[in-house]
Amino acid sequence: MAFIKLPSPKLEKNPVGHVHVSITSITVTNNVDQIMAERGFISEDDVRTSSSENVLVDTGASLLSLPTIIIEKLGLPVRGESIVNRAAGERQARIFKEAILTMSGRTSTFDCLELTDTDQPLLGVLPLERLGLQPDLQNLTLTVLPNQPGKTYLYA
């Protein structure tokens, strides 16, 4: 099985739809490790986790995308592979599962796409939506949507 190196978009020429988030960090944890620690099979210190300060929010992307180095550090299991549309065209890429993403006080579990040519995580619209984070493209920030009685971003 061969994998093609996925090129990163050239942001300096076409920054539309991208928000650099540097004041908000993300933490990604191996969900399998977390479950094993909760059940007492491993210690909490053995749960593999990775934090990143340099995160790209891309409203044109759909998934959480992580660099190979982070995926390897976390030991995430492979879900499979898929054809993925990138700025440079369609490419075959691996999808990994069981990544817990924590950002701005919100946490959820996601599949993630492997990025083979960058050390910068990328957040697409699906993790942003699930975590209740709204990009403000004019101010290049993220807004944490409310989640309280009478005012919530979650709908059934």
Side-chain angles (χ1 to χ4, degrees):
M1 176 182 317
F3 294 97
I4 299 171
K5 186 174 180 177
L6 297 176
S8 293
K10 303 284 188 249
L11 299 178
E12 57 277 354
K13 292 183 182 175
N14 186 12
V16 177
H18 296 90
V19 179
H20 283 278
V21 180
S22 58
I23 57 170
T24 304
S25 66
I26 67 167
T27 300
V28 184
T29 304
N30 180 317
N31 190 38
V32 175
D33 288 357
Q34 186 65 48
I35 291 168
M36 290 181 65
E38 289 169 1
R39 294 183 179 176
F41 295 114
I42 64 173
S43 76
E44 207 47 58
D45 292 337
D46 291 330
V47 175
R48 290 170 284 185
T49 188
S50 178
S51 294
S52 299
E53 296 291 328
N54 186 18
V55 179
L56 176 67
V57 174
D58 184 349
T59 58
S62 55
L63 302 175
L64 168 65
S65 299
L66 297 175
T68 302
I69 192 165
I70 293 176
I71 291 171
E72 289 174 351
K73 177 182 178 184
L74 295 172
L76 297 176
V78 176
R79 176 170 300 285
E81 58 183 82
S82 184
I83 301 294
V84 177
N85 281 315
R86 294 276 315 256
E90 287 185 353
R91 299 283 195 260
Q92 190 79 13
R94 293 191 297 177
I95 306 290
F96 291 80
K97 58 185 177 178
E98 303 298 333
I100 300 172
L101 174 63
T102 303
M103 182 176 181
S104 299
R106 308 257 171 96
T107 300
S108 193
T109 304
F110 297 94
D111 285 350
C112 65
L113 173 70
E114 179 182 27
L115 298 175
T116 59
D117 68 337
T118 182
D119 61 354
Q120 183 179 38
L122 184 146
L123 293 174
V125 295
L126 295 176
L128 291 174
E129 211 171 88
R130 190 176 307 164
L131 295 176
L133 303 170
Q134 181 175 333
D136 178 344
L137 299 179
Q138 289 192 351
N139 296 313
L140 299 179
T141 60
L142 286 177
T143 302
V144 179
L145 299 175
N147 189 18
Q148 55 200 19
K151 194 171 187 181
T152 181
Y153 71 95
L154 293 171
Y155 293 90

